[in-house]
Amino acid sequence: MLEIRKVYTAVEETRIEGGKKVENPIKMIATMAVIKNPWAGREYVENLMPEINEYAPQIGELLVAELFKHIGSADDVEAFGKAAVVGVDGEVEHASAFIHTLKFGNKFRDAVKGTSILSFTNKRGGAGSAVIIPMVHKTDESERSHFITFEATIPDAPRADEIVVAIGASTGGRPHPRTGNRHQDMVEMGLV
């Protein structure tokens, strides 16, 4: 049985950047679930698939439902990403297990009408570790304006035998993007 100790959401809305007003304020949201690591205390477990198959879809559904408490619709999401932090008694593979499966990722991707790969971080850390969620445009992962990162922390998570699993979404790219785009670079460099 999946044991969820806590669900945590962080929301940021940028209204001014670089001293210039952002015409349409950009909201970034991270929803995170603090779960008991099902492999903690079991020594090395060769086959992680039974727990992945059972829990990854549940975690995905929970986090998507939490996200939509803070955002209007799939059309409001422009960028997305995911992350996991395993407590110090776990393996990085335990963090990876729940986010690197379509059984988790497609719950999020489908809900926001995304087609891009979900960028990610996965790491080991103690309580209060930064949960760093890199994001890309949901339908064009080469769109530089949407290469953004949202960072949040949960003061008491992950505990040594827990995993924090997170998704992040943004209603826009960086405020006032001015770095061009990959497609333009390729044309200028004669690569296409």
Side-chain angles (χ1 to χ4, degrees):
M1 175 131 183
L2 180 63
E3 185 178 319
I4 302 168
R5 182 171 66 84
K6 184 178 283 196
V7 175
Y8 191 92
T9 300
V11 180
E12 171 185 289
E13 186 174 270
T14 302
R15 299 177 178 198
I16 298 172
E17 179 78 8
K20 181 179 177 185
K21 183 179 179 182
V22 176
E23 183 144 339
N24 295 309
I26 298 168
K27 185 186 288 187
M28 290 199 288
I29 304 138
T31 59
M32 301 174 270
V34 179
I35 67 169
K36 176 96 169 159
N37 182 343
W39 304 290
R42 293 174 52 191
E43 297 297 326
Y44 179 82
V45 177
E46 180 66 36
N47 183 9
L48 305 180
M49 292 310 296
E51 291 85 357
I52 292 170
N53 290 335
E54 185 174 354
Y55 302 144
Q58 294 176 46
I59 298 166
E61 288 169 8
L62 169 73
L63 293 176
V64 166
E66 288 298 316
L67 174 72
F68 277 100
K69 291 178 182 178
H70 303 277
I71 199 155
S73 73
D75 294 334
D76 294 328
V77 174
E78 289 189 18
F80 64 0
K82 61 188 176 180
V85 181
V86 67
V88 295
D89 286 350
E91 300 173 36
V92 172
E93 188 69 6
H94 299 163
S96 300
F98 291 123
I99 64 171
H100 295 308
T101 172
L102 295 178
K103 295 165 186 148
F104 171 82
N106 279 358
K107 297 290 184 184
F108 187 21
R109 190 179 291 105
D110 293 347
V112 299
K113 302 177 187 172
T115 56
S116 294
I117 188 168
L118 279 159
S119 56
F120 67 92
T121 58
N122 39 241
K123 67 179 191 176
R124 180 184 298 112
S129 291
V131 180
I132 301 167
I133 307 171
M135 294 187 239
V136 297
H137 192 282
K138 71 178 185 178
T139 60
D140 183 357
E141 61 265 7
S142 67
E143 192 64 47
R144 272 191 208 133
S145 60
H146 288 66
F147 292 178
I148 52 178
T149 305
F150 190 44
E151 182 175 322
T153 61
I154 304 173
D156 67 344
R159 292 177 178 164
D161 63 348
E162 292 179 332
I163 305 170
V164 175
V165 181
I167 60 173
S170 179
T171 62
R174 293 185 312 278
H176 322 305
R178 306 180 294 283
T179 59
N181 69 56
R182 182 173 178 262
H183 304 294
Q184 179 184 346
D185 285 359
M186 291 175 71
V187 169
E188 289 173 1
M189 296 171 70
L191 300 173
V192 289

